[in-house]
Amino acid sequence: MTTDTPARLLTLLSLLQTPREWPGGELADRLGVSRRTVRRDIDRLRELGYPVQATMGAEGGYRLVAGKAMPPLVLDDEEAVAIAVGLRAGAGHAVEGVEEASVRALAKLEQVLPSRLRHRVATLQAATTPLTSGDGASIAPETLTVMASSVAGRERLRFAYRAADGTESRRLAEPYRLVSTGRRWYLVAYDLDRADWRTFRVDRVSEPFATGARFAPRELPTGSAAEYLRRSMQRHQASYSFEVTFMAPAEVVAARVPRWLGVPEPVGAECCRLRATVGDAVEWLAVRLVLLGFEFTVREPVELVECVRELGGRLSRAVVG
C-alpha cells in the first residue's frame, strides 16, 4: 500500500498518462488503496491542472485527455531514455525541424536524468550509427545542451573556437540565441573580449563551459537572431543568385526543399521555379538539387549550369553497360 500521498499521486499520474481508460478498481489495486482514495487523488490532480475525464457506469473509469495547457509529464526509465536518445540523435545534426525548442527540451531532460540513465543514453548513442545524416557537420549533443542551458539561464559561456582558417582561440561570451539554418547550428552571442556581437558555428566549438556568472541581456542590433545571422553570413561569404525550374508542382517540390534554400513559385500546374541567393559552393548546390529527386533545368548562373553538366556526364560515365 502506498501511504506517501505525493509518491502515490506521481504513480497515479504515470498510469493515467498511458493512453487507455483505467477502471477505478484497477487503479485502486495498483496503488493499494480504496476507490474512495483514488477519487480523492483524481480530484487533487484536477486541481493541479491535469484534465482527468471520468466515465460512469459498471465499465466506467478514468482517462487523461488533452487540455488547454501542457501539464508536466511523468516518464518511466525506459521512456526517458528513449526520448533522450531520439533528441540526441536529431540534435547532432542541424536537421530541419529540430529547432532551439528541441535542444532546450534535451537540455532540461538531461539535467534531471539520474546518472544511471545518463550512462545508458550515452551507451546507446555510441553503439548506434544513423543510416543518413544531415548536410551539416555533426555536433556533440553535450555542446548544444550546455549552450542551450546558458542561453536560457543568461549565463556567461567559455569555449574554445576554431575559425575557418584553422586559428584556435578561447572565447568568453554572453550567449543570446541558438539558430538552426537547416544544415548547421550557429550561436549568436556578445563576445566580451572583442566587445562586439559575433556568430559562431557550433560544429567549430569545443569545451563549452557555463561559468555561472549571470548577465543582463544586451539589445541585439537587428532585434532578431536569425536576421543578424543572415546579415553576418552575407558579409563573410561570396554569394550568388541562382534560378532552377522543376518539372513538378510547387507544393510537391516545397515539401522537399529546405526552407533556407527558398520557396518555389508555380509557373504552371506541373512546373515551378526556385530562385534564391546562397553562399555555398556551386558543387554542393548541384548535388543538393539532384538529391531532391525531380527533373530540373538550371537557368543561372553559368557556373552552376556548367557544374550540373559536368556532374551529369560523370554520373553517366559511371554506369557500366
Side-chain angles (χ1 to χ4, degrees):
M1 177 177 177
T2 306
T3 57
D4 185 346
T5 301
R8 190 176 65 246
L9 284 176
L10 287 174
T11 303
L12 174 60
L13 182 57
S14 180
L15 293 172
L16 289 175
Q17 285 177 345
T18 303
R20 55 162 288 192
E21 186 167 88
W22 288 87
E26 186 175 349
L27 287 176
D29 292 340
R30 288 285 193 111
L31 298 173
V33 296
S34 66
R35 295 192 180 200
R36 182 179 179 182
T37 300
V38 169
R39 289 194 294 270
R40 285 202 303 264
D41 287 347
I42 292 294
D43 289 338
R44 291 190 181 99
L45 289 180
R46 287 169 176 162
E47 291 172 0
L48 293 171
Y50 291 94
V52 182
Q53 183 182 75
T55 54
M56 306 303 291
E59 301 298 325
Y62 301 97
R63 176 190 296 271
L64 192 64
V65 298
K68 295 181 180 179
M70 176 68 183
L73 293 175
V74 175
L75 305 173
D76 62 28
D77 287 2
E78 299 301 326
E79 293 165 341
V81 169
I83 292 174
V85 169
L87 287 172
R88 273 174 158 249
H93 300 274
V95 180
E96 188 171 1
V98 182
E99 306 294 350
E100 185 189 349
S102 299
V103 178
R104 289 202 312 270
L106 177 59
K108 290 179 181 179
L109 181 58
E110 293 207 335
Q111 182 179 2
V112 298
L113 278 180
S115 58
R116 71 180 191 283
L117 298 187
R118 199 176 297 118
H119 175 71
R120 285 176 60 187
V121 171
T123 301
L124 274 172
Q125 188 182 32
T128 57
T129 301
L131 179 62
T132 60
S133 62
D135 294 323
S138 61
I139 304 166
E142 293 83 358
T143 298
L144 281 172
T145 55
V146 169
M147 288 184 167
S149 297
S150 297
V151 169
R154 298 176 178 177
E155 192 173 348
R156 288 180 177 175
L157 187 71
R158 288 190 183 277
F159 55 91
Y161 191 68
R162 176 178 50 81
D165 60 4
T167 303
E168 302 278 352
S169 62
R170 302 289 303 183
R171 304 297 183 98
L172 175 63
E174 296 176 350
Y176 182 81
R177 197 75 80 237
L178 281 166
V179 181
S180 170
T181 65
R183 291 182 61 211
R184 297 187 179 99
W185 284 102
Y186 289 84
L187 174 69
V188 175
Y190 187 84
D191 191 320
L192 292 169
D193 295 325
R194 290 153 182 79
D196 199 5
W197 289 93
R198 291 288 190 273
T199 60
F200 302 96
R201 267 181 51 175
V202 177
D203 59 289
R204 292 176 178 166
V205 170
S206 60
E207 304 172 45
F209 172 72
T211 65
R214 307 288 178 177
F215 64 89
R218 302 171 190 265
E219 185 177 352
L220 194 65
T222 59
S224 164
E227 178 62 19
Y228 182 83
L229 175 63
R230 186 186 67 81
R231 294 183 185 182
S232 176
M233 294 176 71
Q234 287 180 345
R235 287 196 304 268
H236 294 92
Q237 293 180 346
S239 59
Y240 60 92
S241 298
F242 73 90
E243 179 179 334
V244 177
T245 301
F246 292 98
M247 311 309 163
E251 62 273 14
V252 176
V253 176
R256 301 195 62 176
V257 172
R259 287 179 298 173
W260 55 267
L261 202 54
V263 179
E265 56 187 51
V267 292
E270 299 296 324
C271 187
C272 65
R273 178 172 54 226
L274 179 63
R275 292 185 289 195
T277 299
V278 296
D280 295 293
V282 292
E283 294 83 2
W284 180 90
L285 180 58
V287 173
R288 194 66 179 85
L289 292 172
V290 171
L291 292 177
L292 291 176
F294 304 107
E295 295 289 332
F296 67 93
T297 302
V298 179
R299 304 296 181 184
E300 58 181 39
V302 174
E303 294 82 0
L304 182 58
V305 173
E306 292 298 324
C307 184
V308 171
R309 182 179 291 118
E310 180 183 348
L311 177 61
R314 192 181 309 157
L315 292 174
S316 297
R317 292 189 297 272
V319 179
V320 179

